[in-house]
Amino acid sequence: MEIVKNGDVTEAEVDAALQTLNAKHPSDTIYKVELTPNGEYVDIKYYTRKPFERIRRITGYLVGTLDRFNNAKAAEERDRVKHGLAR
C-alpha cells in the first residue's frame, strides 16, 4: 500500500488513519492512501481495487456473467460461433 503524506502528518496520525480504513475495507483492497492536514484534522483519501469482472457483448447485451439468461438466451450463447485469433 502506498501512503502519500501531503504535508506535515505524524506517524500517530498515519496509524489512526490506517486503523479507520481497515475497519471499513479489507486491507488488500486499498492500494493508495493520501493524508492531508486540515487544521486539527487529517483528510483521508483512499483508492480501492475492485475485482475485475469480464464484460462481454453477447447476443446484443453487455453482460458480466451468464447466470441470469433464460434458457433460450443461454442456448443462443452456447450455439454461437466463437472466433479465435490465428497465431
Side-chain angles (χ1 to χ4, degrees), residues 3-15:
I3 299 174
V4 179
K5 300 176 189 176
N6 298 322
D8 188 24
V9 179
T10 67
E11 288 303 314
E13 291 170 326
V14 171
D15 292 340

Side-chain angles (χ1 to χ4, degrees), residues 60-71:
Y61 297 93
L62 291 175
V63 298
T65 62
L66 307 178
D67 59 340
R68 296 184 59 186
F69 277 7
N70 62 23
N71 291 341

Side-chain angles (χ1 to χ4, degrees), residues 1-3 18 21-22 27 30-33:
M1 171 185 336
E2 178 185 0
I3 299 174
L18 293 178
L21 290 176
N22 286 334
S27 60
I30 299 172
Y31 68 92
K32 182 177 181 182
V33 178

Side-chain angles (χ1 to χ4, degrees), residues 2-84:
E2 178 185 0
I3 299 174
V4 179
K5 300 176 189 176
N6 298 322
D8 188 24
V9 179
T10 67
E11 288 303 314
E13 291 170 326
V14 171
D15 292 340
L18 293 178
Q19 281 184 339
T20 301
L21 290 176
N22 286 334
K24 290 183 178 183
H25 298 281
S27 60
D28 61 335
T29 62
I30 299 172
Y31 68 92
K32 182 177 181 182
V33 178
E34 292 182 6
L35 303 172
T36 307
N38 185 1
E40 294 182 17
Y41 300 97
V42 174
D43 293 334
I44 304 171
K45 185 174 186 179
Y46 60 93
Y47 303 87
T48 59
R49 288 187 178 93
K50 293 191 176 186
F52 178 76
E53 182 178 320
R54 180 178 173 187
I55 297 178
R56 301 173 282 183
R57 184 171 184 265
I58 297 176
T59 65
Y61 297 93
L62 291 175
V63 298
T65 62
L66 307 178
D67 59 340
R68 296 184 59 186
F69 277 7
N70 62 23
N71 291 341
K73 192 57 76 178
E76 190 177 333
E77 188 277 331
R78 186 175 51 250
D79 296 340
R80 72 187 178 114
V81 176
K82 297 177 174 97
H83 302 280

